[in-house]
Amino acid sequence: GENVEQHPSTLSVQEGDSAVIKCTYSDSASNYFPWYKQELGKGPQLIIDIRSNVGEKKDQRIAVTLNKTAKHFSLHITETQPEDSAVYFCAASARSGNTPLVFGKGTRLSVIA
Amino acid sequence: ETGVTQSPTHLIKTRGQQVTLRCSSQSGHNTVSWYQQALGQGPQFIFQYYREEENGRGNFPPRFSGLQFPNYSSELNVNALELDDSALYLCASSLDTGSYEQYFGPGTRLTVT
């Protein structure tokens, strides 16, 4: 089955700097790669996703890149703000619908003001 | 539009007891997936329900069972609770079984003593 590795486990950046979180996946059939942000005491919030037919997607300060050949994808946050502090999870799934999301172990991002 | 809601927020049970957790899917969504998130880990897929039928199951024992109702709300039942069942239980809904995006509720924190 699918296995998703996520690095780093913790990341501290100064406010205004960029943050990059990387994930690798094992199943070449995976075609959907979402990123979730989880704040303390809350459920994961979908912040951006990418499908295997594109290499990059951007939404304001957040971007995701996908390298299907190398089986890795990354989350890039620019101009970080204290409210970006949270745990971020990457996930992968093959096909849609009833194929479950397989999550990485998460990255705790701290943005220092 | 109403998001995914879960009840109760917190629950404390004793080893060997049974528990029922509830989830209301986002308005218009007919597919519900349940995940278990242990402390410091990413969510792990338990099972999915679509049109009141189980539509995929992860590596969880039969004492984890579920239901989906005609209004698409869902229940997760766990029998013979074990200490390792202590976790955050997350419900995620999607538009239908063919949809990629899954939206999570706030979770139910279960503590087994």
Side-chain angles (χ1 to χ4, degrees):
Chain A
E2 176 66 278
N3 182 52
V4 176
E5 299 283 342
Q6 183 172 347
H7 300 280
S9 56
T10 59
L11 180 60
S12 290
V13 299
Q14 292 290 328
E15 183 178 359
D17 286 351
S18 295
V20 181
I21 303 171
K22 299 182 178 182
C23 289
T24 60
Y25 62 98
S26 61
D27 189 350
S28 57
S30 287
N31 62 357
Y32 175 63
F33 308 92
W35 286 88
Y36 287 85
K37 175 184 181 182
Q38 188 171 28
E39 296 174 295
L40 196 62
K42 297 185 178 181
Q45 175 195 1
L46 179 64
I47 56 172
I48 195 168
D49 56 13
I50 191 168
R51 301 185 191 185
S52 59
N53 57 346
V54 297
E56 184 173 359
K57 183 176 178 181
K58 191 172 182 180
D59 182 5
Q60 299 183 359
R61 297 186 296 110
I62 294 174
V64 58
T65 59
L66 171 66
N67 182 327
K68 286 171 53 181
T69 304
K71 294 193 197 132
H72 66 71
F73 56 113
S74 301
L75 176 71
H76 304 253
I77 306 174
T78 59
E79 300 172 17
T80 54
Q81 302 167 2
E83 51 265 39
D84 294 328
S85 296
V87 180
Y88 290 82
F89 291 96
C90 63
S93 74
R95 309 195 308 274
S96 62
N98 65 354
T99 303
L101 295 172
V102 177
F103 285 82
K105 291 189 175 181
T107 296
R108 181 173 298 279
L109 173 65
S110 299
V111 179
I112 304 164
Chain B
E1 184 176 276
T2 307
V4 179
T5 60
Q6 292 186 243
S7 63
T9 306
H10 296 90
L11 203 51
I12 300 174
K13 290 286 189 178
T14 303
R15 189 171 47 185
Q17 286 187 316
Q18 177 265 343
V19 69
T20 297
L21 311 181
R22 295 178 175 83
C23 169
S24 290
S25 60
Q26 188 166 317
S27 177
H29 288 193
N30 63 21
T31 301
V32 172
S33 301
W34 285 91
Y35 291 80
Q36 180 195 67
Q37 186 177 22
L39 204 59
Q41 301 293 317
Q44 278 199 297
F45 176 71
I46 304 175
F47 43 56
Q48 182 185 86
Y49 277 83
Y50 170 65
R51 293 188 176 179
E52 303 177 57
E53 297 284 334
E54 188 177 291
N55 186 42
R57 188 179 183 94
N59 189 27
F60 280 81
R63 59 189 185 83
F64 285 77
S65 63
L67 283 174
Q68 187 179 34
F69 301 99
N71 66 354
Y72 306 130
S73 66
S74 177
E75 284 183 357
L76 164 65
N77 299 289
V78 187
N79 294 321
L81 284 166
E82 301 177 0
L83 297 179
D84 284 350
D85 295 333
S86 294
L88 181 68
Y89 287 85
L90 295 162
C91 165
S93 76
S94 43
L95 191 60
D96 59 45
T97 193
S99 300
Y100 286 92
E101 296 86 357
Q102 295 187 29
Y103 299 94
F104 284 83
T108 293
R109 171 72 61 189
L110 172 65
T111 302
V112 182
T113 61

CSV table of all heavy atoms in Angstrom, one decimal, chain B residues 7-47:
chain,number,residue,atom,x,y,z
B,7,SER,N,-19.8,15.0,17.4
B,7,SER,CA,-20.2,15.0,18.8
B,7,SER,C,-19.9,13.7,19.4
B,7,SER,O,-20.0,12.6,18.7
B,7,SER,CB,-21.6,15.4,19.0
B,7,SER,OG,-22.5,14.4,18.4
B,8,PRO,N,-19.5,13.6,20.7
B,8,PRO,CA,-19.2,14.8,21.6
B,8,PRO,C,-17.8,15.3,21.2
B,8,PRO,O,-17.1,14.7,20.4
B,8,PRO,CB,-19.3,14.2,23.0
B,8,PRO,CG,-18.8,12.8,22.8
B,8,PRO,CD,-19.3,12.3,21.4
B,9,THR,N,-17.4,16.4,21.9
B,9,THR,CA,-16.1,16.9,21.7
B,9,THR,C,-15.0,16.1,22.4
B,9,THR,O,-14.0,15.9,21.9
B,9,THR,CB,-16.1,18.4,22.2
B,9,THR,OG1,-17.1,19.1,21.7
B,9,THR,CG2,-14.7,19.0,22.0
B,10,HIS,N,-15.3,15.7,23.6
B,10,HIS,CA,-14.4,14.9,24.5
B,10,HIS,C,-15.2,13.8,25.1
B,10,HIS,O,-16.4,14.0,25.4
B,10,HIS,CB,-13.8,15.8,25.6
B,10,HIS,CG,-12.9,16.9,25.1
B,10,HIS,ND1,-13.4,18.1,24.9
B,10,HIS,CD2,-11.6,16.9,24.8
B,10,HIS,CE1,-12.4,18.9,24.5
B,10,HIS,NE2,-11.3,18.2,24.4
B,11,LEU,N,-14.5,12.7,25.4
B,11,LEU,CA,-15.1,11.6,26.0
B,11,LEU,C,-14.1,10.8,26.8
B,11,LEU,O,-13.0,10.6,26.3
B,11,LEU,CB,-15.7,10.7,24.8
B,11,LEU,CG,-16.8,9.7,25.1
B,11,LEU,CD1,-18.0,10.4,25.8
B,11,LEU,CD2,-17.3,9.2,23.7
B,12,ILE,N,-14.5,10.4,28.0
B,12,ILE,CA,-13.6,9.5,28.8
B,12,ILE,C,-14.3,8.2,29.0
B,12,ILE,O,-15.4,8.2,29.5
B,12,ILE,CB,-13.2,10.2,30.1
B,12,ILE,CG1,-12.4,11.5,29.8
B,12,ILE,CG2,-12.3,9.2,30.9
B,12,ILE,CD1,-12.1,12.3,31.0
B,13,LYS,N,-13.7,7.1,28.7
B,13,LYS,CA,-14.3,5.8,28.9
B,13,LYS,C,-13.2,4.9,29.6
B,13,LYS,O,-12.1,5.1,29.6
B,13,LYS,CB,-14.6,5.2,27.5
B,13,LYS,CG,-15.8,5.8,26.8
B,13,LYS,CD,-17.1,5.4,27.5
B,13,LYS,CE,-18.3,5.9,26.7
B,13,LYS,NZ,-19.6,5.5,27.4
B,14,THR,N,-13.8,3.8,30.1
B,14,THR,CA,-13.0,2.8,30.8
B,14,THR,C,-12.7,1.6,29.8
B,14,THR,O,-13.6,1.3,29.0
B,14,THR,CB,-13.7,2.3,32.0
B,14,THR,OG1,-13.9,3.4,32.9
B,14,THR,CG2,-12.8,1.3,32.8
B,15,ARG,N,-11.5,1.0,30.0
B,15,ARG,CA,-11.2,-0.1,29.2
B,15,ARG,C,-12.3,-1.2,29.2
B,15,ARG,O,-12.8,-1.5,30.3
B,15,ARG,CB,-9.9,-0.7,29.7
B,15,ARG,CG,-9.3,-1.8,28.8
B,15,ARG,CD,-7.9,-2.2,29.3
B,15,ARG,NE,-7.8,-2.4,30.8
B,15,ARG,CZ,-6.7,-2.6,31.5
B,15,ARG,NH1,-5.6,-2.6,30.8
B,15,ARG,NH2,-6.8,-2.8,32.7
B,16,GLY,N,-12.7,-1.7,28.1
B,16,GLY,CA,-13.7,-2.8,28.0
B,16,GLY,C,-15.1,-2.2,27.6
B,16,GLY,O,-16.0,-2.9,27.2
B,17,GLN,N,-15.3,-0.9,27.8
B,17,GLN,CA,-16.6,-0.3,27.5
B,17,GLN,C,-16.7,-0.1,26.0
B,17,GLN,O,-15.8,-0.4,25.2
B,17,GLN,CB,-16.7,1.1,28.2
B,17,GLN,CG,-16.9,1.0,29.7
B,17,GLN,CD,-17.2,2.3,30.3
B,17,GLN,OE1,-16.6,3.3,30.0
B,17,GLN,NE2,-18.2,2.4,31.2
B,18,GLN,N,-17.9,0.4,25.6
B,18,GLN,CA,-18.2,0.6,24.2
B,18,GLN,C,-18.5,2.1,24.1
B,18,GLN,O,-18.9,2.8,25.0
B,18,GLN,CB,-19.5,-0.2,23.9
B,18,GLN,CG,-20.0,0.0,22.5
B,18,GLN,CD,-21.1,1.1,22.4
B,18,GLN,OE1,-21.7,1.5,23.4
B,18,GLN,NE2,-21.3,1.6,21.2
B,19,VAL,N,-18.2,2.7,22.9
B,19,VAL,CA,-18.5,4.1,22.7
B,19,VAL,C,-19.1,4.3,21.3
B,19,VAL,O,-18.8,3.5,20.3
B,19,VAL,CB,-17.1,4.9,22.8
B,19,VAL,CG1,-16.2,4.5,21.6
B,19,VAL,CG2,-17.4,6.4,22.9
B,20,THR,N,-19.9,5.3,21.2
B,20,THR,CA,-20.5,5.7,19.9
B,20,THR,C,-20.1,7.2,19.6
B,20,THR,O,-20.4,8.1,20.5
B,20,THR,CB,-22.0,5.6,19.9
B,20,THR,OG1,-22.3,4.2,20.0
B,20,THR,CG2,-22.6,6.0,18.5
B,21,LEU,N,-19.5,7.5,18.5
B,21,LEU,CA,-19.2,8.8,18.1
B,21,LEU,C,-20.1,9.2,16.9
B,21,LEU,O,-20.4,8.4,16.0
B,21,LEU,CB,-17.7,9.0,17.7
B,21,LEU,CG,-16.7,8.4,18.7
B,21,LEU,CD1,-15.3,8.6,18.2
B,21,LEU,CD2,-16.9,9.0,20.1
B,22,ARG,N,-20.4,10.5,16.8
B,22,ARG,CA,-21.4,10.9,15.8
B,22,ARG,C,-20.8,12.0,14.9
B,22,ARG,O,-20.0,12.8,15.3
B,22,ARG,CB,-22.7,11.4,16.4
B,22,ARG,CG,-23.4,10.3,17.1
B,22,ARG,CD,-24.7,10.7,17.8
B,22,ARG,NE,-25.4,9.5,18.3
B,22,ARG,CZ,-25.1,9.0,19.5
B,22,ARG,NH1,-24.1,9.5,20.3
B,22,ARG,NH2,-25.8,7.9,19.9
B,23,CYS,N,-21.2,12.0,13.6
B,23,CYS,CA,-20.7,12.9,12.6
B,23,CYS,C,-21.9,13.4,11.7
B,23,CYS,O,-22.7,12.5,11.2
B,23,CYS,CB,-19.6,12.3,11.8
B,23,CYS,SG,-19.1,13.2,10.3
B,24,SER,N,-22.0,14.7,11.5
B,24,SER,CA,-22.9,15.2,10.4
B,24,SER,C,-22.1,15.7,9.3
B,24,SER,O,-21.2,16.6,9.5
B,24,SER,CB,-23.8,16.3,11.0
B,24,SER,OG,-24.7,15.8,11.9
B,25,SER,N,-22.3,15.2,8.1
B,25,SER,CA,-21.5,15.6,7.0
B,25,SER,C,-21.8,17.0,6.5
B,25,SER,O,-22.9,17.6,6.9
B,25,SER,CB,-21.7,14.7,5.8
B,25,SER,OG,-23.1,14.6,5.4
B,26,GLN,N,-20.9,17.6,5.7
B,26,GLN,CA,-21.2,18.9,5.2
B,26,GLN,C,-22.4,18.9,4.2
B,26,GLN,O,-22.6,17.9,3.6
B,26,GLN,CB,-19.9,19.4,4.4
B,26,GLN,CG,-19.9,20.8,3.9
B,26,GLN,CD,-18.6,21.3,3.4
B,26,GLN,OE1,-17.6,21.0,4.1
B,26,GLN,NE2,-18.5,22.0,2.3
B,27,SER,N,-23.1,20.0,4.2
B,27,SER,CA,-24.3,20.0,3.4
B,27,SER,C,-24.1,19.6,2.0
B,27,SER,O,-23.1,20.1,1.3
B,27,SER,CB,-24.9,21.5,3.5
B,27,SER,OG,-26.0,21.6,2.7
B,28,GLY,N,-24.9,18.7,1.5
B,28,GLY,CA,-24.7,18.2,0.1
B,28,GLY,C,-23.8,17.1,-0.1
B,28,GLY,O,-23.7,16.5,-1.2
B,29,HIS,N,-23.0,16.7,1.0
B,29,HIS,CA,-22.0,15.6,0.8
B,29,HIS,C,-22.7,14.3,1.2
B,29,HIS,O,-23.3,14.2,2.3
B,29,HIS,CB,-20.8,15.9,1.8
B,29,HIS,CG,-20.0,17.0,1.3
B,29,HIS,ND1,-18.7,17.2,1.8
B,29,HIS,CD2,-20.1,17.9,0.3
B,29,HIS,CE1,-18.2,18.3,1.2
B,29,HIS,NE2,-19.0,18.7,0.3
B,30,ASN,N,-22.4,13.2,0.4
B,30,ASN,CA,-23.1,11.9,0.7
B,30,ASN,C,-22.1,10.9,1.2
B,30,ASN,O,-22.4,9.7,1.4
B,30,ASN,CB,-23.9,11.4,-0.5
B,30,ASN,CG,-23.0,11.2,-1.7
B,30,ASN,OD1,-21.8,11.0,-1.6
B,30,ASN,ND2,-23.7,11.1,-2.9
B,31,THR,N,-20.8,11.2,1.3
B,31,THR,CA,-19.8,10.2,1.6
B,31,THR,C,-19.0,10.7,2.8
B,31,THR,O,-18.6,11.8,3.0
B,31,THR,CB,-18.7,10.1,0.4
B,31,THR,OG1,-19.5,9.7,-0.8
B,31,THR,CG2,-17.7,9.1,0.7
B,32,VAL,N,-18.9,9.8,3.8
B,32,VAL,CA,-18.2,10.0,5.1
B,32,VAL,C,-17.1,9.0,5.3
B,32,VAL,O,-17.3,7.8,5.2
B,32,VAL,CB,-19.3,10.0,6.2
B,32,VAL,CG1,-18.5,10.1,7.6
B,32,VAL,CG2,-20.3,11.1,6.1
B,33,SER,N,-16.0,9.6,5.7
B,33,SER,CA,-14.8,8.7,6.1
B,33,SER,C,-14.4,9.0,7.5
B,33,SER,O,-14.5,10.1,8.0
B,33,SER,CB,-13.6,9.0,5.2
B,33,SER,OG,-13.9,8.8,3.8
B,34,TRP,N,-14.0,8.0,8.2
B,34,TRP,CA,-13.6,8.1,9.6
B,34,TRP,C,-12.1,7.8,9.7
B,34,TRP,O,-11.6,6.9,9.0
B,34,TRP,CB,-14.3,7.1,10.5
B,34,TRP,CG,-15.7,7.5,10.8
B,34,TRP,CD1,-16.8,7.1,10.1
B,34,TRP,CD2,-16.2,8.3,11.9
B,34,TRP,NE1,-18.0,7.7,10.7
B,34,TRP,CE2,-17.6,8.4,11.8
B,34,TRP,CE3,-15.6,9.0,12.9
B,34,TRP,CZ2,-18.4,9.1,12.7
B,34,TRP,CZ3,-16.3,9.7,13.8
B,34,TRP,CH2,-17.7,9.8,13.7
B,35,TYR,N,-11.4,8.6,10.5
B,35,TYR,CA,-10.0,8.5,10.7
B,35,TYR,C,-9.7,8.5,12.2
B,35,TYR,O,-10.3,9.2,12.9
B,35,TYR,CB,-9.2,9.6,10.0
B,35,TYR,CG,-9.2,9.6,8.5
B,35,TYR,CD1,-10.3,10.1,7.8
B,35,TYR,CD2,-8.1,9.1,7.7
B,35,TYR,CE1,-10.3,10.1,6.4
B,35,TYR,CE2,-8.1,9.1,6.4
B,35,TYR,CZ,-9.2,9.6,5.7
B,35,TYR,OH,-9.2,9.6,4.3
B,36,GLN,N,-8.6,7.8,12.5
B,36,GLN,CA,-8.1,7.8,13.9
B,36,GLN,C,-6.7,8.6,13.9
B,36,GLN,O,-5.9,8.3,13.1
B,36,GLN,CB,-7.9,6.4,14.4
B,36,GLN,CG,-7.3,6.4,15.9
B,36,GLN,CD,-6.8,5.0,16.2
B,36,GLN,OE1,-5.8,4.5,15.7
B,36,GLN,NE2,-7.5,4.3,17.2
B,37,GLN,N,-6.6,9.6,14.8
B,37,GLN,CA,-5.3,10.3,14.8
B,37,GLN,C,-4.7,10.2,16.2
B,37,GLN,O,-5.2,10.8,17.2
B,37,GLN,CB,-5.5,11.8,14.5
B,37,GLN,CG,-4.2,12.6,14.4
B,37,GLN,CD,-4.4,14.0,14.0
B,37,GLN,OE1,-5.5,14.6,14.2
B,37,GLN,NE2,-3.4,14.6,13.5
B,38,ALA,N,-3.7,9.3,16.4
B,38,ALA,CA,-3.0,9.2,17.6
B,38,ALA,C,-2.2,10.5,17.8
B,38,ALA,O,-1.8,11.2,16.9
B,38,ALA,CB,-2.1,8.0,17.6
B,39,LEU,N,-1.8,10.7,19.1
B,39,LEU,CA,-1.0,11.9,19.4
B,39,LEU,C,0.3,12.0,18.7
B,39,LEU,O,1.0,11.0,18.6
B,39,LEU,CB,-0.8,11.9,20.9
B,39,LEU,CG,-0.5,13.3,21.6
B,39,LEU,CD1,-1.7,14.2,21.4
B,39,LEU,CD2,-0.2,13.1,23.1
B,40,GLY,N,0.5,13.1,18.0
B,40,GLY,CA,1.8,13.3,17.3
B,40,GLY,C,1.8,12.5,15.9
B,40,GLY,O,2.9,12.4,15.3
B,41,GLN,N,0.7,12.0,15.5
B,41,GLN,CA,0.7,11.2,14.2
B,41,GLN,C,-0.3,11.8,13.2
B,41,GLN,O,-1.1,12.6,13.6
B,41,GLN,CB,0.3,9.8,14.5
B,41,GLN,CG,1.2,9.0,15.5
B,41,GLN,CD,2.6,8.8,14.9
B,41,GLN,OE1,2.8,8.4,13.8
B,41,GLN,NE2,3.6,9.0,15.7
B,42,GLY,N,-0.2,11.4,12.0
B,42,GLY,CA,-1.2,11.8,11.0
B,42,GLY,C,-2.4,10.9,11.1
B,42,GLY,O,-2.3,9.8,11.7
B,43,PRO,N,-3.5,11.3,10.6
B,43,PRO,CA,-4.7,10.5,10.6
B,43,PRO,C,-4.6,9.2,9.9
B,43,PRO,O,-3.9,9.2,8.9
B,43,PRO,CB,-5.8,11.4,9.9
B,43,PRO,CG,-5.2,12.8,10.1
B,43,PRO,CD,-3.8,12.7,10.0
B,44,GLN,N,-5.2,8.2,10.4
B,44,GLN,CA,-5.2,6.8,9.8
B,44,GLN,C,-6.6,6.5,9.4
B,44,GLN,O,-7.5,6.6,10.3
B,44,GLN,CB,-4.6,5.8,10.7
B,44,GLN,CG,-3.1,5.7,10.7
B,44,GLN,CD,-2.6,4.4,11.3
B,44,GLN,OE1,-2.9,4.1,12.5
B,44,GLN,NE2,-2.0,3.6,10.5
B,45,PHE,N,-6.8,6.0,8.2
B,45,PHE,CA,-8.1,5.7,7.7
B,45,PHE,C,-8.7,4.4,8.4
B,45,PHE,O,-8.1,3.4,8.5
B,45,PHE,CB,-8.0,5.4,6.2
B,45,PHE,CG,-9.3,4.9,5.5
B,45,PHE,CD1,-10.3,5.8,5.3
B,45,PHE,CD2,-9.4,3.6,5.1
B,45,PHE,CE1,-11.5,5.4,4.7
B,45,PHE,CE2,-10.6,3.2,4.4
B,45,PHE,CZ,-11.6,4.1,4.2
B,46,ILE,N,-10.0,4.6,8.9
B,46,ILE,CA,-10.7,3.5,9.5
B,46,ILE,C,-11.6,2.9,8.5
B,46,ILE,O,-11.5,1.7,8.2
B,46,ILE,CB,-11.5,3.9,10.8
B,46,ILE,CG1,-10.6,4.6,11.8
B,46,ILE,CG2,-12.2,2.8,11.4
B,46,ILE,CD1,-11.3,5.2,13.0
B,47,PHE,N,-12.6,3.6,8.0
B,47,PHE,CA,-13.5,3.2,6.9
B,47,PHE,C,-14.3,4.3,6.4
B,47,PHE,O,-14.2,5.5,6.9
B,47,PHE,CB,-14.5,2.1,7.4
B,47,PHE,CG,-15.2,2.3,8.8
B,47,PHE,CD1,-15.9,3.5,9.0
B,47,PHE,CD2,-15.1,1.4,9.7
B,47,PHE,CE1,-16.5,3.7,10.2
B,47,PHE,CE2,-15.7,1.6,11.0
B,47,PHE,CZ,-16.4,2.7,11.2
